[in-house]
Amino acid sequence: MQGQTSQSILDAIGNTPMVRLGRIGAGLQCNLLAKLELHNPGGSGKIRSALAMVAEAERTGRLRAGGTLIEASSGNAGIALAIVAAVRGYRCICVTTDRQSPEKIATLKAFGAEVIVCPAAVRPEDPRSHHSVAWRLAEEIPGSWFAHQHGNPANPDAHRTGTGTEIWKQTAGRVTHVFCGLGTGGTATGIARALHEHDPAIQVIGVEPAGGLYGEFKRGNPVPRDRIPTHLTEGIGEDMLPEVLDLEELAEVIAVPDRDALLTTRRLARTEGILCGGSSGAVVAAALRWCQSHRPGPDTTIVCVLHDTGTRYLSRIFNDEWMKENRFVEERGGQTAGELCARKRAEPDAIPGLISVSPHSLLLEVLELLRQHEVSQIPVVEQGRVIGTVKEDRVVHLLIRDPEAKGRPARDVMDPPLPEVEPGASIETVSDLLREQPAVLVRTRDGLDILTKADLVRMIARWAT
Ligand code: PMP
């Protein structure tokens, strides 16, 4: 046929868009880009490796007409194989775990796959695990072929010839860093191999869920045998090291807590208009965190791989009730000052305790504490009693006019103490006090704590995400 017609949906695989994340990356000096693998047929990058694995099995005669494809998949690989099976006329059995979203299972069935759901919370060698069940079926069913994405070299190779090569071309060779989720590790390994052919200095950084094992392997730490994954970010993190994952190709592995991953996923939809899954959110969260600590300049071009579409997670990540049940978004109202302090202390970047100075501390030391902890006021404490507050604006005002004042004690420039509330005080009381004061002190069971305007802004912004 003339024109631009493809033979089948399989010809629409690859050449996915690369877009700038200009809103979520606002204020960064580097280029923050996203490779939209979710734009592939079936809604994920897994279709690249599925087609490559099937083509290889056909070529080598391991898969013949009328055969059965079997895969132990977290969902997307199964969906991808189901699509290839539908187009090429094979039967497809997908053995998956009960950690997958209902949408993934429904999608598998929509493409005509048979689905077997196994418990996620068992070790891979357990006969009930999805790996064990898939191997058993492959032995039992005549004419079947187990795709075995975790050990099949065609998986990373599809990303070397496809995804990685596209990243090099689309960035005109300017890519310096790639952040990529690690499931089987096929995507990251393939991308790294393609890019390292051009420039071995390009860093490919793997992203796994908090509690994942790959980072431990990468750092050469002993890996506990009995760790059972509990994360809710789907598609990344496995309970064993897959053969296709080449950790040597990765510069490092960053672990991202579910909360950061899923809230970033929601932000991507609301600020960039990109509806992707939780592993993509984890990748962007890792890249943003890396940018905070490395402060990359305009010569740095970061590519974030966005693995799959968010339509698979409408009942989870994009469902407020599910997010609240799992305590990823907080319910409004009903909070007390004590609860707000506890929540603040649980943040990953929280300052461990209350920062205070003595009335004799010199302004030079006070200034250093203000700078180091990025706070705007510090209580002045004498023998366990709060006797005043040193405020950033007053210290700065004084030091600009009189540099010698850096040798003066805090006592000389302190304001009266901040108001103090009981831990049972309501958030409304705290917010009323913060209209007049920069912060309030809270006398909790563990000692004195502080809630600032910035703390409240952060918490309210979180409810709004
Ligand atoms: N994200 C999602 C949502 C996935 O399904 C997968 C595949 N399991 C990945 C990331 C990681 O891909 P890979 O298996 O190539 O490491």
Side-chain angles (χ1 to χ4, degrees):
M1 200 186 288
Q2 299 288 307
Q4 298 188 329
T5 315
S6 299
Q7 285 306 309
S8 81
I9 189 78
L10 303 182
D11 289 334
I13 295 172
N15 291 317
T16 52
M18 178 82 82
V19 301
R20 186 172 297 281
L21 298 178
R23 280 136 292 270
I24 215 161
L28 295 178
Q29 299 211 332
C30 63
N31 302 306
L32 186 66
L33 307 175
K35 174 77 170 153
L36 302 187
E37 285 299 282
L38 55 134
H39 275 234
N40 274 301
S44 90
K46 281 276 141 181
I47 192 91
R48 296 181 188 259
S49 45
L51 180 61
M53 290 190 295
V54 170
E56 173 68 8
E58 287 172 340
R59 204 180 54 76
T60 52
R62 276 174 293 150
L63 183 62
R64 293 174 197 279
T68 301
L69 310 188
I70 298 181
E71 183 54 304
S73 158
S74 66
N76 279 321
I79 291 168
L81 277 168
I83 294 171
V84 179
V87 175
R88 302 253 171 130
Y90 299 111
R91 179 184 175 203
C92 179
I93 303 178
C94 186
V95 193
T96 184
T97 70
D98 53 10
R99 206 182 315 135
Q100 302 311 315
S101 70
E103 290 91 329
K104 277 192 194 152
I105 302 204
T107 308
L108 278 167
K109 291 183 178 163
F111 286 118
E114 295 159 50
V115 183
I116 298 172
V117 180
C118 298
V122 295
R123 299 279 318 152
E125 54 276 10
D126 187 301
R128 293 165 299 168
S129 80
H130 69 304
H131 291 281
S132 305
V133 173
W135 279 114
R136 183 165 53 76
L137 289 175
E139 277 164 23
E140 285 172 8
I141 299 174
S144 66
W145 167 75
F146 183 14
H148 188 36
Q149 53 163 346
H150 292 83
N152 191 328
N155 167 9
D157 214 43
H159 295 286
R160 182 182 63 79
T161 54
T163 331
T165 304
E166 288 170 27
I167 290 174
W168 178 258
K169 285 194 190 136
Q170 285 169 306
T171 59
R174 278 198 275 274
V175 56
T176 54
H177 297 77
V178 177
F179 285 76
C180 182
L182 300 177
T184 64
T187 313
T189 302
I191 290 174
R193 285 187 181 144
L195 295 178
H196 290 159
E197 277 169 25
H198 295 284
D199 180 357
I202 296 172
Q203 294 197 4
V204 177
I205 295 155
V207 178
E208 68 174 354
L213 301 178
Y214 297 158
E216 310 275 10
F217 279 113
K218 176 74 186 160
R219 290 183 287 273
N221 293 338
V223 176
R225 291 280 305 143
D226 52 355
R227 198 189 285 177
I228 289 183
T230 55
H231 58 269
L232 289 168
T233 307
E234 293 175 40
I236 51 173
E238 295 272 350
D239 37 20
M240 56 184 183
L241 192 65
E243 286 157 61
V244 298
L245 170 56
D246 185 353
L247 287 172
E248 294 284 303
E249 289 281 358
L250 304 187
E252 61 179 305
V253 176
I254 296 184
V256 178
D258 282 334
R259 182 201 183 90
D260 290 1
L262 305 189
L263 292 180
T264 308
T265 310
R266 286 162 67 109
R267 274 176 68 204
L268 278 162
R270 290 175 191 190
T271 61
E272 300 284 354
I274 300 173
L275 191 69
C276 54
S279 69
S280 309
V283 164
V284 174
L288 292 174
R289 202 189 324 146
W290 186 90
C291 287
Q292 263 174 12
S293 52
H294 290 74
R295 307 219 174 264
D299 290 344
T300 300
T301 293
I302 297 175
V303 174
C304 296
V305 178
L306 305 194
H307 296 273
D308 77 341
T309 168
T311 54
R312 306 235 197 289
Y313 310 94
L314 293 177
S315 68
R316 293 191 170 180
I317 306 170
F318 301 102
N319 174 354
D320 290 349
E321 290 311 310
W322 186 86
M323 291 292 280
K324 274 181 204 157
E325 270 164 35
N326 289 287
R327 302 187 73 92
F328 294 134
V329 289
E330 282 133 23
E331 307 239 21
R332 277 159 195 262
Q335 274 119 338
T336 62
E339 285 164 1
L340 295 177
C341 290
R343 205 156 276 163
K344 171 175 151 172
R345 294 288 161 222
E347 295 283 323
D349 54 353
I351 301 169
L354 178 73
I355 300 161
S356 62
V357 292
S358 100
H360 314 292
S361 303
L362 303 184
L363 289 193
L364 188 65
E365 301 160 41
V366 173
L367 193 70
E368 180 52 22
L369 283 174
L370 289 166
R371 189 197 64 79
Q372 190 186 345
H373 298 288
E374 294 180 343
V375 292
S376 306
Q377 62 285 309
I378 301 180
V380 183
V381 176
E382 188 169 44
Q383 291 172 351
R385 239 168 29 87
V386 183
I387 60 162
T389 316
V390 268
K391 293 186 179 159
E392 165 188 68
D393 43 2
R394 197 156 161 205
V395 173
V396 170
H397 184 85
L398 187 68
L399 289 177
I400 285 176
R401 275 157 193 78
D402 176 14
E404 291 310 312
K406 62 179 189 270
R408 285 171 63 186
R411 177 187 293 281
D412 285 6
V413 292
M414 71 187 185
D415 284 304
L418 294 165
E420 202 174 303
V421 296
E422 292 299 316
S426 71
I427 186 170
E428 286 80 10
T429 307
V430 173
S431 123
D432 285 346
L433 288 167
L434 288 181
R435 294 193 67 181
E436 308 294 331
Q437 295 283 345
V440 297
L441 295 170
V442 187
R443 195 161 286 279
T444 71
R445 252 185 296 136
D446 304 324
L448 213 50
D449 210 333
I450 191 165
L451 285 173
T452 66
K453 277 186 184 153
D455 293 331
L456 231 60
V457 166
R458 198 147 18 107
M459 290 182 204
I460 291 169
R462 181 160 294 155
W463 298 332
T465 14

